[in-house]
Amino acid sequence: MTTGALSRTEVELKVQLDRKDVLAAGVVRLTLRHPDGGPVPEWEPGAHIEFVLRDDLVRQYSLCGDPADRSTLQVAVLREPDGRGGSDYVHRELAEGDLLRIRGPRNHFPLMRAKKYLFLAGGIGITPILPMIDAVDRAGADWRLAYGGRSRDTMAFADELVARYGSRVSLSPQDETGRLDLDALLRRACRRTAIYCCGPESLLTDVENRFSSRNRGALHLERFTAKKVDAQTSGFEVELARSRLTLNVPEDRSILEVAEDAGVPVMSSCQEGICGTCETPVLDGVPDHRDSLLTEAERAANQTMMICVSRTCGKRLVLDL
């Protein structure tokens, strides 16, 4: 079990799609291997990898296998008909034997040490929770999982979880029992309980709204979609210290876009502030954080920012870029 975030070291490599299994309605599991049989990258619970499906189609998926198994990586992907095309590509185009480009692993949802754990999962949000549960169970920690979904047939890993862990797991198919009773679940959680939640934005928002700023340190969230930010936007100046450039960022463009136009190489992916790929150190100035990733403490520290969406509270920023 980790006690903090992993290092930012990551790799880019090609892997082979070894197996593609249907887990539930609209959900497939991909099992990936190194083409020459070598070990896959190390990772810890909460990590995700980035699929470069095409140059213009890059998506992130949580790892849901066994971190101790260096022979494979596993992800589970929900097909979203109204999505941006990534999940549809995975379901329709990828076949066993295909070679895929991946980056990572990255971990912005690390499993912290705690006395007790409450895991809240909605739909495909179960994926990063699975290795967390395995880790805390092996460590002998006290934990519970409340897992909700639209219907039982859409809830991947549900039967497997109940068979393995019994009464520690409670399932809430919405068409049978309604939505998760968050008030009851959170009321029963004691002060020393770390709460990990992943799922649709409606679930994350409902959970966040039940926490005050004083007790939000116990809450750990991972978003698959960007959190809505209602804020005014104006232009500003950004200095890229390593590139020795000072650029104007107009109100209708991001720092990332302006930097790329100036020929500065920047790694990016989601361009929504949820994947962490473009996280950049801040040398001077106060960022206006508009991402869906950094914790309140990390935002207050103002050491890094996601330049795909975040801006500045003043007129100027200096970045280590």
Side-chain angles (χ1 to χ4, degrees):
M1 195 186 318
T2 187
T3 56
L6 296 178
S7 107
R8 296 186 184 280
T9 302
E10 61 181 69
V11 299
E12 180 170 335
L13 75 157
K14 283 192 174 180
V15 293
Q16 187 167 43
L17 178 52
D18 187 57
R19 289 181 58 89
K20 184 178 182 180
D21 303 305
V22 176
L23 295 181
V27 180
V28 294
R29 175 172 54 199
L30 308 182
T31 301
L32 310 169
R33 294 185 183 274
H34 200 290
D36 66 7
V40 296
E42 291 184 273
W43 61 281
E44 290 192 10
H48 69 269
I49 54 175
E50 192 170 78
F51 278 41
V52 184
L53 300 169
R54 296 190 311 254
D55 287 344
D56 63 341
L57 192 62
V58 181
R59 296 292 183 268
Q60 299 79 36
Y61 298 110
S62 298
L63 290 163
C64 60
D66 179 3
D69 180 3
R70 297 293 304 283
S71 66
T72 65
L73 296 171
Q74 290 187 341
V75 300
V77 181
L78 169 68
R79 186 175 185 181
E80 301 181 80
D82 299 325
R84 296 179 298 149
S87 66
D88 189 65
Y89 186 99
V90 168
H91 278 252
R92 285 179 176 269
E93 304 295 333
L94 294 186
E96 293 178 1
D98 284 352
L99 289 177
L100 303 169
R101 223 170 109 212
I102 66 167
R103 297 175 186 147
R106 302 187 188 119
N107 199 344
H108 296 284
F109 192 42
L111 180 62
M112 304 298 187
R113 196 177 300 279
K115 294 287 186 181
K116 294 184 178 182
Y117 296 87
L118 172 61
F119 298 103
L120 304 172
I124 199 62
I126 190 64
T127 52
I129 300 295
L130 291 172
M132 292 184 174
I133 288 174
D134 185 58
V136 300
D137 192 68
R138 288 173 184 270
D142 186 357
W143 65 272
R144 292 183 61 210
L145 165 67
Y147 177 17
R150 294 191 310 275
S151 58
R152 195 173 293 268
D153 68 322
T154 66
M155 297 171 66
F157 304 103
D159 293 341
E160 174 185 324
L161 284 162
V162 172
R164 184 173 180 182
Y165 299 115
S167 60
R168 288 181 181 266
V169 176
S170 62
L171 303 181
S172 297
Q174 193 168 339
D175 61 346
E176 298 177 24
T177 63
R179 300 182 66 184
L180 291 173
D181 187 347
L182 296 177
D183 288 326
L185 289 165
L186 297 173
R187 187 167 55 247
R188 288 196 294 266
C190 71
R191 288 185 178 181
R192 294 186 177 183
T193 301
I195 298 166
Y196 282 80
C197 181
C198 186
E201 182 59 34
S202 57
L203 171 64
L204 302 181
T205 300
D206 284 350
V207 172
E208 274 188 313
N209 289 341
R210 286 165 169 79
F211 280 75
S212 68
S213 58
R214 288 179 300 174
N215 63 4
R216 197 164 286 176
L219 180 61
H220 308 270
L221 305 175
E222 181 161 69
R223 284 183 156 85
F224 292 145
T225 57
K227 187 177 182 179
K228 291 183 179 179
V229 177
D230 184 16
Q232 291 184 338
T233 298
S234 58
F236 59 95
E237 186 178 85
V238 61
E239 179 184 340
L240 308 183
R242 281 191 287 119
S243 302
R244 298 182 179 179
L245 289 173
T246 298
L247 307 172
N248 289 316
V249 182
E251 63 181 24
D252 60 345
R253 306 203 73 203
S254 67
I255 299 173
L256 174 65
E257 290 171 324
V258 170
E260 288 179 331
D261 282 355
V264 179
V266 185
M267 285 190 65
S268 66
S269 177
C270 71
Q271 301 193 17
E272 293 184 321
I274 58 174
C275 74
T277 307
C278 69
E279 187 171 4
T280 301
V282 177
L283 302 179
D284 193 28
V286 180
D288 175 11
H289 295 289
R290 302 186 181 189
D291 65 277
S292 302
L293 192 60
L294 295 176
T295 65
E296 289 190 7
E298 289 168 335
R299 291 183 178 206
N302 287 325
Q303 293 180 345
T304 66
M305 65 185 296
M306 307 304 161
I307 62 172
C308 64
V309 292
S310 296
R311 302 182 73 81
T312 180
C313 294
K315 294 293 185 181
R316 192 169 184 273
L317 277 174
V318 182
L319 302 180
D320 186 15
L321 192 63

